């Protein structure tokens, strides 16, 4: 086994279990279920874990209820989370009660309330509201280095020292900008570019077109980690599913860069891992 595979062994196993549970939920009864709700700019992800914190069901939907990490369509977000929750309840033949959610770095004071209200408005008891980096690191379990979360609307950068976050930032460049560049280059609509971009068989063709945006993300990362002595970068977020993105980031930052086999679900699974039975909000 290579070092790269070894690094993400546990993380890849749990993500793989989640992907399979989305297709075929594990209906074996659990004493309690823990839910993670990830309200993203591009995608809403719900993760259900059993009493042993193993993925048993999940769902994700592309939606436009959050922009750059902020809830912009409150009613739409509540409805969507409620619908997804009910679908999962039906599949598992249970009631989902407890949920945890997360907010992007630095938006606590402006958006923490909105995220909380969406989760509660969808009929769930909120047991935790954590920052996305802490959530991602519940799955990655890094002690030193930086997690770079390239989502739909933003890129989050969190520097870890001895397992603790020592610096966080969130910058408004993400997958949406990748799609805009691709749409312009290919003369297609934004929606068409989004779908085209997500197909792995197109990645080799589109990487050269997207290289300048990836380099822009790299320069954002370089600016933020300056002075923090970061020796490794770990990529998460849907945009990092792009084949070869890690090589460009590694080359432009000069820092060894790694990603799990499916970086899109690290944060949502980590959110669910932080769900408890203690209602604190
Ligand atoms: P944010 O964190 O900015 O609020 P989000 O949580 O919605 O956004 P993610 O769910 O992590 O972000 O990622 C969504 C982005 O990932 C979208 O831009 C989507 O097009 C992109 N994406 C998803 N799958 C792939 C793929 N296979 N290849 C390339 N890009 C992908």
């Amino acid at each position: 086994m290579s070092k790269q595979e070894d690094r993400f062994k546990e993380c890849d196993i749990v993500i793989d279990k989640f992907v399979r549970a989305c297709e075929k939920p594990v209906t074996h009864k659990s004493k309690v279920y823990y839910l993670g709700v990830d309200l993203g700019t591009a995608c809403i992800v719900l993760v259900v874990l059993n009493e042993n914190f193993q993925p048993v069901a999940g769902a994700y939907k592309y939606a436009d209820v959050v922009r750059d990490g902020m809830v912009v369509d409150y009613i739409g977000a509540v409805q969507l989370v409620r619908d997804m929750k009910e679908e999962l309840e039906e599949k598992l033949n249970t009631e989902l009660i407890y949920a945890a959610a997360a907010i992007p770095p630095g938006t606590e004071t402006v958006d923490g309330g909105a995220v909380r209200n969406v989760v509660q408005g969808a009929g769930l008891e909120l047991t935790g509201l954590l920052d996305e980096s802490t959530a991602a690191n519940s799955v990655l379990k890094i002690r030193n280095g930086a997690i770079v979360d390239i989502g739909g609307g933003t890129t989050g950068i969190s520097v870890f020292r001895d397992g603790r976050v020592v610096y966080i930032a969130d910058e408004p460049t993400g997958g949406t900008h990748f799609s805009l560049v691709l749409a312009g280059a290919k003369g297609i609509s934004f929606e068409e570019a989004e779908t085209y971009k997500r197909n792995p068989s197109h990645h080799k063709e589109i990487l050269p077109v997207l290289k300048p945006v990836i380099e822009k993300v790299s320069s954002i990362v370089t600016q933020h980690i300056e002075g923090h002595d970061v020796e490794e970068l770990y990529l998460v977020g849907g945009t990092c599913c792009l084949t070869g993105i890690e090589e460009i980031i590694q080359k432009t930052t000069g820092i060894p860069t790694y990603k799990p086999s499916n970086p899109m679900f690290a944060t949502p699974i980590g959110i669910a891992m932080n769900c408890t039975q203690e209602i604190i909000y």
Side-chain angles (χ1 to χ4, degrees), residues 4 8 11-13 15-16 240-241 259-264:
Q4 156 81 14
F8 293 113
C11 162
D12 285 345
I13 290 172
I15 294 178
D16 185 53
C240 296
C241 293
K259 68 176 187 184
S261 58
N262 187 338
M264 178 145 169

Side-chain angles (χ1 to χ4, degrees), residues 146-165:
I147 295 182
V148 178
D149 181 350
I150 316 177
T154 64
T155 292
I157 302 119
S158 353
V159 180
F160 284 77
R161 175 127 336 111
D162 298 324
R164 295 181 52 185
V165 182

Side-chain angles (χ1 to χ4, degrees), residues 1-58:
M1 184 181 286
S2 74
K3 268 213 142 143
Q4 156 81 14
E5 282 168 339
D6 207 19
R7 190 180 298 270
F8 293 113
K9 197 172 162 212
E10 275 178 43
C11 162
D12 285 345
I13 290 172
V14 76
I15 294 178
D16 185 53
K17 263 192 196 166
F18 171 70
V19 172
R20 280 187 282 125
C22 286
E23 283 164 21
K24 194 171 181 294
V26 181
T27 51
H28 185 80
K29 270 273 165 272
S30 172
K31 279 194 209 116
V32 60
Y33 290 93
Y34 299 106
L35 183 66
V37 179
D38 188 5
L39 290 174
T41 302
C43 198
I44 310 288
V45 189
L46 263 62
V47 176
V48 188
L49 305 181
N50 67 10
E51 59 197 331
N52 301 316
F53 289 91
Q54 294 301 311
V56 289

